[in-house]
Amino acid sequence: MCQSIAHRGPDDQGIWLQGGVGLGVRRLSIIDVAGGHQPIHNQDETAWIVFNGEIYNFPQLRERLTARGHRFYTRTDTEVVVHAYDEWGERCVEELNGMFGLAIWDSRRQTLLLARDRMGIKPLYYSITPEGLAFASELKAILTIPGMRREVDLAALDDYLALEYVPSPRSIIRGIQKLPPGHTLSWRMDSGEGQLRRYWDIDLGASEREPDTRSLEQHAEELRAVLLESVRKELISDVPLGVFLSGGIDSSTVAAMMTRLTPGHVNSFSIGFSDPSFDESAHARRVAAHLGLNHRELILEPSMLTDLVPSVTEKLDEPLADASIIPTYLLSRFARQHVTVALGGDGGDELFGGYPTLLAHRLVGYYQRLPAVLRDRLVSPLVERLPVSMANISLDFKLKRFVDGAGYPIGERHTRWLGSFSSQQRAELVDPQVRASLEQSDRQDLVAEHLARHRLQDPLNQVLYLDMKMYLENDILAKVDRASMMASLEARVPLLNVDLVEHMAQVPVSLKLRGQRSKYILKHALRGVLPDATLTRGKKGFGIPVARWIRGPLKELMMSTLAADKLRREGFFQPAYVQRLLDDHLGGRRDNRKQLWTLFMFERWYERYAAPFETTAEPAAAVEHQ
């Protein structure tokens, strides 16, 4: 199990075995490099911990615990956590400001505690079987266990086809789950049962309820202070660190705060593309010059990306159809030549209201007021006839997506805009037996569950909450974690520090999207801090030319991966439907990049992780949710 995730921790390995319990860890040494060997124990060696991540407030926690009589034998944040468990029990996680997946074995209570950070920055998988409990940072580690079944969870597959990722608590393998963010799982050895508890969730309702008398400038001043403090916390390290700089407002904000804290010593890294419709390198250079960063950039030729597709997809042990994982890996590998830790701007769109879909949801109201005959007989046919462009998020791509989803309720509309296959398309795509199995299953509607949790009144808040609970956790953060860990680089996300997240949950929603101006409060707060051109430019995204790749350098690999006889043998998809997608895309009649890449990534995963090993044994699991 440890060997399968050696890339996550190339510096050290630790294994502890006792009485039917085994803890293993691979370590990327960041804090107390020489003395932080794991697993780590408490004072009387009755509790042992394995830990992945960073606790940013561990010095303050250590002082509190020392005052209460605790004695430490390392300088690590990991040891602080196991002492915090001794002091506060399972609720110790509520004291932690950080990103983490952790496990603590308590020999006194014969209980294992699993915990995951509030936003889901670090991953944690687990499986409860008749033999006991297995857990790991990556799915592939659990799959190394002899006899572990590798049957595809059809409900998870259906979610993946719709969303381009598998949302927690499911994983793509039946019987293996993801611990949801902000949750603990307490598992007792005597009964073999686990108790799942939510210890935190963001509530955006305060941004709707609270009467607000503060001025715009007061809000901006408060935001600047919280931003600076959140970044300051996440600079803690005993090894060199830097910042990913795309030239967008989020990563530039993080870089700006870093320069205020350590002027003249900030290392920034960016990559650019020779394809101008995808390139942002000039924007990154402008910000770097403005802030006085020690900037390094790597310009990528198409072959540098396409050559990596087979190896990167083989390393992904759960299908993820976000193609930007490839340049993210290259950026991580580039930065790792100089630093061990890199801060990034992920989470800013969800926190401050930056996605173009937010404005699109507002525009739907105006569009739906048009007479139905005008929408159906004029607008829709005109949009459908727009010439197909293979450029990054082209106009025809956006308009076709908008019209396709406009008539649906907000949850379904959001899914259709962001994902790959609609419910109607999935019904045509999947094999009849798979479809029948899905129709008979009793499935959770995760979108509806999330929307029902807080009863948010403002549609903008509903979308922001959905993005945080689904897209951010299962796509963005999963992509950044896997890509950076493939390069043995720790990626931190200070915009998702709990202090900043809870602050922004209180900020009136009208200060996030004002009229057509996204990230309104953030841009106002950073006037004079970042170049005006950075604050006014539109969102670009970290895209790559997948549509063109499919018609060019990846054509043969795509066709062999989606070959009809292979699909027929596996039994998940209708070969004729997939062939139509391919033919239309290769012929330039439709831009099917999202659907084809989604299928390609699943098939690449299935070939590597499931097809050679699949069994049909039934799982046994008992988890009680509180």
Side-chain angles (χ1 to χ4, degrees), residues 13-32:
Q13 175 172 295
I15 292 175
W16 180 83
L17 303 169
Q18 189 176 93
V21 178
L23 302 179
V25 64
R26 294 291 311 201
R27 184 174 181 231
L28 180 64
S29 302
I30 306 293
I31 303 293
D32 192 4

mmCIF file of all heavy atoms in Angstrom, residues 13-32:
data_model
loop_
_atom_site.group_PDB
_atom_site.id
_atom_site.type_symbol
_atom_site.label_atom_id
_atom_site.label_comp_id
_atom_site.label_asym_id
_atom_site.label_seq_id
_atom_site.Cartn_x
_atom_site.Cartn_y
_atom_site.Cartn_z
ATOM 1 N N GLN A 13 9.434 6.536 4.745
ATOM 2 C CA GLN A 13 8.324 5.596 4.903
ATOM 3 C C GLN A 13 8.299 5.106 6.335
ATOM 4 O O GLN A 13 9.340 4.858 6.938
ATOM 5 C CB GLN A 13 8.470 4.404 3.957
ATOM 6 C CG GLN A 13 7.389 3.326 4.162
ATOM 7 C CD GLN A 13 7.421 2.237 3.113
ATOM 8 O OE1 GLN A 13 7.180 2.498 1.946
ATOM 9 N NE2 GLN A 13 7.744 1.015 3.530
ATOM 10 N N GLY A 14 7.089 4.974 6.882
ATOM 11 C CA GLY A 14 6.948 4.450 8.237
ATOM 12 C C GLY A 14 5.807 3.465 8.313
ATOM 13 O O GLY A 14 4.741 3.685 7.725
ATOM 14 N N ILE A 15 6.023 2.368 9.028
ATOM 15 C CA ILE A 15 4.978 1.346 9.196
ATOM 16 C C ILE A 15 4.933 0.942 10.672
ATOM 17 O O ILE A 15 5.973 0.736 11.305
ATOM 18 C CB ILE A 15 5.248 0.121 8.306
ATOM 19 C CG1 ILE A 15 5.070 0.495 6.825
ATOM 20 C CG2 ILE A 15 4.325 -1.046 8.669
ATOM 21 C CD1 ILE A 15 5.423 -0.608 5.849
ATOM 22 N N TRP A 16 3.734 0.836 11.226
ATOM 23 C CA TRP A 16 3.539 0.419 12.621
ATOM 24 C C TRP A 16 2.478 -0.678 12.639
ATOM 25 O O TRP A 16 1.391 -0.514 12.073
ATOM 26 C CB TRP A 16 3.086 1.615 13.456
ATOM 27 C CG TRP A 16 2.842 1.326 14.904
ATOM 28 C CD1 TRP A 16 3.757 1.274 15.917
ATOM 29 C CD2 TRP A 16 1.565 1.069 15.524
ATOM 30 N NE1 TRP A 16 3.137 1.000 17.111
ATOM 31 C CE2 TRP A 16 1.800 0.870 16.900
ATOM 32 C CE3 TRP A 16 0.252 0.985 15.045
ATOM 33 C CZ2 TRP A 16 0.763 0.597 17.809
ATOM 34 C CZ3 TRP A 16 -0.772 0.709 15.951
ATOM 35 C CH2 TRP A 16 -0.506 0.521 17.312
ATOM 36 N N LEU A 17 2.794 -1.809 13.236
ATOM 37 C CA LEU A 17 1.897 -2.972 13.291
ATOM 38 C C LEU A 17 1.729 -3.417 14.730
ATOM 39 O O LEU A 17 2.716 -3.600 15.452
ATOM 40 C CB LEU A 17 2.469 -4.136 12.472
ATOM 41 C CG LEU A 17 2.764 -3.869 10.992
ATOM 42 C CD1 LEU A 17 3.575 -5.012 10.397
ATOM 43 C CD2 LEU A 17 1.473 -3.676 10.220
ATOM 44 N N GLN A 18 0.469 -3.637 15.137
ATOM 45 C CA GLN A 18 0.237 -4.121 16.503
ATOM 46 C C GLN A 18 -1.196 -4.630 16.633
ATOM 47 O O GLN A 18 -2.143 -3.898 16.368
ATOM 48 C CB GLN A 18 0.490 -2.997 17.521
ATOM 49 C CG GLN A 18 0.486 -3.478 18.967
ATOM 50 C CD GLN A 18 0.835 -2.349 19.926
ATOM 51 O OE1 GLN A 18 -0.035 -1.663 20.443
ATOM 52 N NE2 GLN A 18 2.130 -2.142 20.143
ATOM 53 N N GLY A 19 -1.337 -5.877 17.018
ATOM 54 C CA GLY A 19 -2.647 -6.430 17.365
ATOM 55 C C GLY A 19 -3.707 -6.307 16.292
ATOM 56 O O GLY A 19 -4.851 -5.946 16.577
ATOM 57 N N GLY A 20 -3.345 -6.609 15.061
ATOM 58 C CA GLY A 20 -4.345 -6.546 13.995
ATOM 59 C C GLY A 20 -4.527 -5.165 13.400
ATOM 60 O O GLY A 20 -5.411 -4.959 12.568
ATOM 61 N N VAL A 21 -3.700 -4.203 13.828
ATOM 62 C CA VAL A 21 -3.766 -2.844 13.301
ATOM 63 C C VAL A 21 -2.468 -2.539 12.561
ATOM 64 O O VAL A 21 -1.376 -2.809 13.078
ATOM 65 C CB VAL A 21 -3.958 -1.812 14.441
ATOM 66 C CG1 VAL A 21 -3.967 -0.393 13.876
ATOM 67 C CG2 VAL A 21 -5.240 -2.103 15.192
ATOM 68 N N GLY A 22 -2.577 -1.996 11.354
ATOM 69 C CA GLY A 22 -1.400 -1.576 10.604
ATOM 70 C C GLY A 22 -1.569 -0.155 10.119
ATOM 71 O O GLY A 22 -2.585 0.181 9.515
ATOM 72 N N LEU A 23 -0.595 0.681 10.428
ATOM 73 C CA LEU A 23 -0.580 2.064 9.930
ATOM 74 C C LEU A 23 0.649 2.239 9.057
ATOM 75 O O LEU A 23 1.764 1.874 9.464
ATOM 76 C CB LEU A 23 -0.530 3.069 11.087
ATOM 77 C CG LEU A 23 -1.653 3.013 12.126
ATOM 78 C CD1 LEU A 23 -1.420 4.063 13.206
ATOM 79 C CD2 LEU A 23 -3.015 3.235 11.465
ATOM 80 N N GLY A 24 0.466 2.807 7.880
ATOM 81 C CA GLY A 24 1.589 3.053 6.982
ATOM 82 C C GLY A 24 1.543 4.470 6.460
ATOM 83 O O GLY A 24 0.470 5.050 6.314
ATOM 84 N N VAL A 25 2.716 5.032 6.158
ATOM 85 C CA VAL A 25 2.759 6.412 5.696
ATOM 86 C C VAL A 25 3.961 6.613 4.776
ATOM 87 O O VAL A 25 5.025 6.010 4.980
ATOM 88 C CB VAL A 25 2.820 7.393 6.892
ATOM 89 C CG1 VAL A 25 4.100 7.209 7.691
ATOM 90 C CG2 VAL A 25 2.665 8.837 6.443
ATOM 91 N N ARG A 26 3.763 7.433 3.743
ATOM 92 C CA ARG A 26 4.862 7.954 2.939
ATOM 93 C C ARG A 26 4.948 9.445 3.221
ATOM 94 O O ARG A 26 3.938 10.140 3.217
ATOM 95 C CB ARG A 26 4.618 7.721 1.449
ATOM 96 C CG ARG A 26 4.624 6.272 1.032
ATOM 97 C CD ARG A 26 5.979 5.597 1.108
ATOM 98 N NE ARG A 26 7.059 6.336 0.482
ATOM 99 C CZ ARG A 26 8.202 5.778 0.069
ATOM 100 N NH1 ARG A 26 8.405 4.463 0.237
ATOM 101 N NH2 ARG A 26 9.144 6.506 -0.491
ATOM 102 N N ARG A 27 6.165 9.936 3.452
ATOM 103 C CA ARG A 27 6.304 11.309 3.934
ATOM 104 C C ARG A 27 7.046 12.202 2.948
ATOM 105 O O ARG A 27 8.115 11.839 2.445
ATOM 106 C CB ARG A 27 7.055 11.312 5.281
ATOM 107 C CG ARG A 27 7.151 12.712 5.889
ATOM 108 C CD ARG A 27 7.770 12.690 7.274
ATOM 109 N NE ARG A 27 7.820 14.037 7.817
ATOM 110 C CZ ARG A 27 8.902 14.613 8.333
ATOM 111 N NH1 ARG A 27 10.042 13.933 8.406
ATOM 112 N NH2 ARG A 27 8.860 15.850 8.787
ATOM 113 N N LEU A 28 6.429 13.358 2.670
ATOM 114 C CA LEU A 28 7.099 14.479 2.014
ATOM 115 C C LEU A 28 7.453 15.437 3.146
ATOM 116 O O LEU A 28 6.566 16.047 3.749
ATOM 117 C CB LEU A 28 6.173 15.138 0.996
ATOM 118 C CG LEU A 28 6.723 16.336 0.220
ATOM 119 C CD1 LEU A 28 7.908 15.924 -0.653
ATOM 120 C CD2 LEU A 28 5.635 16.991 -0.624
ATOM 121 N N SER A 29 8.722 15.568 3.458
ATOM 122 C CA SER A 29 9.152 16.276 4.671
ATOM 123 C C SER A 29 9.061 17.787 4.467
ATOM 124 O O SER A 29 9.763 18.345 3.626
ATOM 125 C CB SER A 29 10.590 15.881 5.029
ATOM 126 O OG SER A 29 10.690 14.483 5.210
ATOM 127 N N ILE A 30 8.208 18.432 5.285
ATOM 128 C CA ILE A 30 8.003 19.876 5.198
ATOM 129 C C ILE A 30 8.340 20.549 6.535
ATOM 130 O O ILE A 30 9.032 21.551 6.580
ATOM 131 C CB ILE A 30 6.543 20.214 4.817
ATOM 132 C CG1 ILE A 30 6.121 19.476 3.528
ATOM 133 C CG2 ILE A 30 6.350 21.715 4.683
ATOM 134 C CD1 ILE A 30 6.827 19.913 2.284
ATOM 135 N N ILE A 31 7.808 19.999 7.623
ATOM 136 C CA ILE A 31 8.035 20.521 8.974
ATOM 137 C C ILE A 31 8.876 19.516 9.752
ATOM 138 O O ILE A 31 8.584 18.315 9.726
ATOM 139 C CB ILE A 31 6.697 20.766 9.715
ATOM 140 C CG1 ILE A 31 5.809 21.740 8.916
ATOM 141 C CG2 ILE A 31 6.946 21.288 11.131
ATOM 142 C CD1 ILE A 31 6.320 23.156 8.815
ATOM 143 N N ASP A 32 9.902 20.010 10.467
ATOM 144 C CA ASP A 32 10.819 19.141 11.218
ATOM 145 C C ASP A 32 11.317 18.015 10.311
ATOM 146 O O ASP A 32 11.045 16.835 10.528
ATOM 147 C CB ASP A 32 10.131 18.572 12.464
ATOM 148 C CG ASP A 32 11.119 17.899 13.423
ATOM 149 O OD1 ASP A 32 12.344 17.943 13.159
ATOM 150 O OD2 ASP A 32 10.658 17.333 14.422
#
